[in-house]
Amino acid sequence: MEHVPVIDLAPARTGDVAGRRRVAGLIDQACVEIGFFAVTGHGVPDAVGHALREAAHRYFALPLDVKRRAGPADEATPRGYHALGGEALSAANDAVAPPDLKEFYHVGPVDVGADAYYTGPRGRQFFPPNIWPEDPPGFRAAAVTYYRAMDQLTGFLMRLTALGLGIEETFFDDKVSRSIGTMRLNYYPRQLEAPLAGQLRAGAHTDYGGLTILNGEDVPGGLQVWTRSGRWVDVRTAPDQFVVNIGDLLMRWTNDRWLSNLHRVVNPPLADGRHQARLSIAFFNHPNWDVMIECVAPPGQARHAPVMSGDYRDLKYAKTGFATTAPA
C-alpha cells in the first residue's frame, strides 16, 4: 500500500455487526500494510475541532512570555506549554537529530476520578493536573470538549480494532477506559530561515502507545509516512477528517500483526509563497496504566513477553525527557 486509505466509519456507526465487521476489515488491512488510515463519517461535529483550532491559533500567536505563564514549573512535566526547540521526537527511536521546529501545548485526561487508581502513589505519576492559560477565553472549554470527543471516538475505534483482530468486540473496553494518554496541540511556526541539517518540524519517529488520532491543517510542510517499499508519502489532512495510526504498544498487543510506522512532519519550501504556520491536534490514547499487555496470539506464539502499560510508557518517556515519577 503506497497511500493512506480513507475509511468511512458511517456503516459501522449506524449499521449492524456485519457493517462493523466490514469496516473493521478495512482497518485491519490498512494497519497491516501501512499502519495509518484516515476516517470520515466519524460523528464528531466539525464545530468541535473548529473551536479548538481557533483557540489554539489565538494562544500560539501570543508573546512568548505570556505563553510561558501556562508552562509547567518542571519542563519534564507533560502538561501545559512547551517552547520551540525543547524536543526531538526521533530520540524515542534512538535516533540523533536537532530539536524539532515546533512548540506545543500538552493536555492530559480531563475527567480524573478521586479513587486510588488516580490519586495513589502510582496513579499520581500518570495524572498530574492540567495547566490552563488565562488567555484566550474559551481555550479550556474547547480543549475539554475536544478531548472528550476523542476519548469517545477512541472507544469506538478500539471496538473495531477487536473485530479486525478477530476477538470479542468489547475486549478492549475496560483496558482503555481510564487511559493515561494525552493530547498535544502542535504548532509549527513559519520558518523565515533555513533549518539546520537534518532538522524537521517533527523528526521521524513512531508513536509509542495505542491509537493516535490526528487532526491537521492542509498546508505545506505536513505529515509524511514511510511505506514498506521504502519511500516517504504525503498524508492529506483536512479539518473534517481524522488521521489514525497505531503506536508501538498496540503493535506489540497485536503480536506485530499491525504496523507502528515511521512518520515525520517535513519543512515547507522556503520559496513557497503559501508558506505559513501549521497547527495539528494529536490525541494519544495509551491503555490504563495497570493493564498487562499480553499479545493477542494463539498459545505459544506470542512474540513479546507481557508488559505493564504504565511501565512501557515510562520507558519511552525516559528517552524523550519527560518525567516518569509522580510530582511532589
Side-chain angles (χ1 to χ4, degrees), residues 9-189:
L9 297 183
R13 291 179 52 244
T14 60
D16 55 13
V17 67
R20 296 196 296 278
R21 290 188 187 280
R22 283 194 296 273
V23 173
L26 295 174
I27 291 174
D28 177 61
Q29 180 183 11
C31 290
V32 166
E33 296 186 16
I34 199 167
F36 275 74
F37 58 97
V39 296
T40 59
H42 44 69
V44 179
D46 290 346
V48 172
H50 176 77
L52 183 54
R53 287 191 300 273
E54 186 177 71
H57 272 292
R58 293 202 307 270
Y59 173 79
F60 286 112
L62 294 171
L64 179 60
D65 64 319
V66 176
K67 289 184 287 190
R68 285 190 183 276
R69 294 173 193 167
D74 180 354
E75 284 291 325
T77 300
R79 295 293 185 269
Y81 176 71
H82 293 259
L84 186 72
E87 178 184 65
L89 281 175
S90 57
N93 293 85
D94 300 317
V96 178
D100 296 337
L101 293 170
K102 70 174 185 296
E103 50 189 310
F104 60 92
Y105 203 99
H106 220 151
V107 178
V110 297
D111 296 302
V112 176
D115 59 278
Y117 175 82
Y118 300 100
T119 63
R122 183 72 164 141
R124 288 199 308 273
Q125 172 182 337
F126 302 106
F127 298 99
N130 277 313
I131 302 170
W132 301 110
E134 294 182 5
D135 192 42
F139 181 101
R140 177 176 183 170
V144 169
T145 298
Y146 188 95
Y147 198 105
R148 288 171 175 161
M150 292 302 100
D151 211 26
Q152 185 174 15
L153 180 58
T154 296
F156 178 68
L157 288 171
M158 290 305 293
R159 286 196 169 193
L160 295 178
T161 292
L163 290 176
L165 295 173
I167 56 179
E168 173 59 41
E169 186 173 6
T170 59
F171 174 82
F172 294 107
D173 282 8
D174 63 350
K175 300 171 180 63
V176 298
S177 57
R178 299 190 291 180
S179 169
I180 58 173
T182 58
M183 178 174 75
R184 273 194 182 195
L185 310 179
N186 292 311
Y187 186 74
Y188 307 100

Side-chain angles (χ1 to χ4, degrees), residues 13 48-49 52 77 95 102 153 200 224 244 254 261 263 265 270 307 311:
R13 291 179 52 244
V48 172
L52 183 54
T77 300
K102 70 174 185 296
L153 180 58
L200 298 173
Q224 291 186 334
V244 183
T254 69
N261 201 358
H263 52 286
V265 181
L270 284 174
V307 64
D311 293 342

